[in-house]
């Protein structure tokens, strides 16, 4: 289904969607993975462009195929687990490889999208990923998130909402073996518009380090903070945007 210049290369039935604007060429692929979706915030057949103008700016400045991956396939929002969405990401990357002739890519993950990208890498996708940049991703977890106000007795308690708690098994698995859930060219950006947080995620949680079994830090990945809120750090407006300059 087309929306303006955007075309969806995902499967029929909208289990997941893969949006791209313009011709697809045999060149580098950059995949944008969006953040948490609340119920009814993503409707099938619509590219919400959660990254603002980032896809167009990247295509214009890097000569790359830029894809927006929509992993939520229904009106219930981000209800499934991160592993389910990582599996869909794998299917999307296979589709990109078939279309472009290039099996490797770089990824930019916003908020939960960064954890989905890391889970995909941990599930065996590392050979396909050259670079990973995360924006306001809660690598160390957070409790300052709206779904936590939903009683756990509710039938529709979001699984991914549980998985971004600091004590979740997902984060334990990802962070006790960072080598298998990241790539050599990894960087993270976090916001501090609300002091030590971006209003939703604590800035300290958006960085990533490698630790030994006793908790000692052995390596720190590149990290930078910007005075942006959680709902604004991903909204790239122009090539002069400070976040875009860091991406480049």
């Amino acid at each position: 289904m087309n929306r303006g210049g955007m075309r969806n290369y995902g499967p029929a039935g909208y289990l997941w969607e893969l949006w791209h604007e313009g011709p697809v060429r045999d060149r580098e692929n950059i995949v944008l993975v969006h953040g948490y979706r609340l119920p009814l915030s993503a409707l099938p057949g619509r590219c919400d462009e959660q990254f603002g103008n980032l896809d167009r700016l990247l295509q214009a400045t890097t000569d790359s195929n830029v894809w927006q991956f929509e992993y939520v396939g229904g009106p219930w929002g981000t209800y499934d687990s991160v592993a389910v969405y990582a599996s869909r990401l794998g299917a999307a990357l296979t589709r990109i490889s078939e279309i472009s002739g290039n099996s490797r890519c770089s990824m930019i993950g916003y908020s939960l999208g960064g954890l989905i990208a890391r889970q995909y890498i941990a599930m065996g996708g590392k050979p396909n990923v050259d670079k990973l940049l995360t924006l306001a991703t809660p690598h160390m977890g957070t409790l300052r998130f709206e779904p936590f106000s939903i009683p756990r007795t509710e039938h529709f308690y979001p699984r991914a909402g549980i998985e971004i708690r600091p004590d979740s098994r997902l984060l334990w698995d990802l962070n006790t073996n960072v080598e298998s859930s990241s790539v050599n060219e990894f960087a993270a950006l976090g916001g501090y518009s609300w002091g030590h947080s971006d209003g939703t995620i604590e800035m300290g949680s958006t960085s990533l380090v490698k630790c030994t079994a006793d908790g000692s830090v052995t390596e720190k990945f590149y990290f930078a903070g910007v005075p942006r809120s959680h709902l604004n750090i991903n909204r790239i407006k122009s090539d002069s945007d400070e976040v875009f300059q860091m991406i480049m």
Side-chain angles (χ1 to χ4, degrees):
M1 181 173 182
N2 292 316
R3 176 185 175 275
M6 302 290 286
R7 177 181 175 184
N8 177 24
Y9 289 86
Y14 301 110
L15 179 62
W16 49 266
E17 298 172 23
L18 184 63
W19 295 92
H20 183 275
E21 185 173 22
V24 179
R25 301 184 177 92
D26 182 6
R27 55 186 181 179
E28 180 185 5
N29 293 299
I30 301 176
V31 182
L32 309 181
V33 187
H34 66 77
Y36 195 95
R37 298 282 199 200
L38 294 173
L40 302 180
S41 65
L43 300 177
R46 185 185 71 185
C47 178
D48 287 336
E49 301 189 54
Q50 199 177 86
F51 288 87
N53 292 320
L54 180 57
D55 61 335
R56 297 180 180 90
L57 290 169
L58 287 173
Q59 289 201 76
T61 57
T62 65
D63 192 35
S64 302
N65 299 312
V66 184
W67 308 83
Q68 293 197 49
F69 170 58
E70 172 62 73
Y71 53 80
V72 175
W76 298 113
T78 306
Y79 174 68
D80 273 308
S81 67
V82 168
V84 167
Y85 299 129
S87 178
R88 293 178 185 175
L89 175 57
L93 295 183
T94 298
R95 179 73 172 129
I96 289 173
S97 177
E98 294 170 348
I99 298 169
S100 69
N102 186 352
S103 63
R104 299 184 66 81
C105 72
S106 296
M107 287 196 282
I108 299 176
Y110 164 59
S111 193
L112 182 68
L115 294 180
I116 292 171
R118 288 185 61 202
Q119 178 65 20
Y120 164 75
I121 292 169
M123 290 166 59
K126 189 169 185 174
N128 301 323
V129 183
D130 291 321
K131 303 174 185 177
L132 173 60
L133 170 68
T134 61
L135 305 175
T137 291
H139 294 292
M140 300 299 153
T142 184
L143 292 174
R144 302 176 59 167
F145 193 51
E146 187 172 352
F148 295 140
S149 65
I150 303 173
R152 291 206 181 200
T153 54
E154 290 286 336
H155 180 65
F156 292 111
Y157 195 97
R159 298 184 186 107
I162 296 175
E163 289 179 323
I164 61 174
R165 295 176 62 95
D167 59 353
S168 76
R169 181 55 188 259
L170 171 79
L171 294 184
W172 171 265
D173 289 341
L174 290 179
N175 294 332
T176 54
N177 194 356
V178 172
E179 187 68 37
S180 69
S181 64
S182 63
V183 293
N184 289 334
E185 293 194 59
F186 173 88
L189 299 181
Y192 58 86
S193 62
W194 292 53
H196 296 293
S197 84
D198 60 13
T200 302
I201 309 295
E202 297 81 358
M203 190 172 68
S205 180
T206 59
S207 63
L208 185 62
V209 299
K210 289 183 182 179
C211 298
T212 60
D214 64 2
S216 302
V217 175
T218 60
E219 181 181 350
K220 294 182 179 180
F221 291 93
Y222 177 83
F223 173 77
V226 291
R228 303 277 278 267
S229 71
H230 192 75
L231 298 179
N232 184 256
I233 194 172
N234 60 315
R235 302 286 182 177
I236 312 299
K237 297 180 180 180
S238 69
D239 57 7
S240 62
D241 187 294
E242 61 182 336
V243 174
F244 183 74
Q245 293 296 318
M246 291 183 176
I247 292 174
M248 298 302 294

